[in-house]
Amino acid sequence: STAKVFVAQGAQDRVVARESFDALVSELAGAGRRPEAALVANADHSFSVTDENGVRQDGWLRILSQLLDWYL
């Protein structure tokens, strides 16, 4: 398939190992695909980020915005 692929993971995800994200990106690239890979700094599994003041920010809006920018 030549479908575009977008993958994202929070860098602080404790549910899915970073190695799994890296392996997926590598496998896609090895199959001739060019995935858009977004590793979100300081984000957990739900893309939430705790800012410097300890306030938890919802990261879904940011990742969905990035996805839309990439897709459109």
Side-chain angles (χ1 to χ4, degrees):
S1 166
T2 60
K4 294 169 72 172
V5 178
F6 182 93
V7 294
Q9 181 172 13
Q12 302 304 317
D13 190 338
R14 297 182 195 274
V15 177
V16 177
R18 168 75 185 271
E19 294 80 12
S20 295
F21 173 80
D22 293 339
L24 175 60
V25 172
S26 180
E27 287 289 322
L28 288 167
R33 305 297 292 278
R34 292 178 30 210
E36 177 72 19
L39 184 64
V40 183
N42 301 316
D44 63 14
H45 186 70
S46 64
F47 302 110
S48 294
V49 176
T50 302
D51 69 16
E52 63 276 355
N53 297 317
V55 177
R56 194 171 157 115
Q57 306 280 328
D58 181 355
W60 273 109
L61 290 178
R62 185 175 63 189
I63 198 68
L64 289 174
S65 175
Q66 186 176 352
L67 173 64
L68 283 173
D69 289 344
W70 167 80
Y71 182 76
L72 299 176

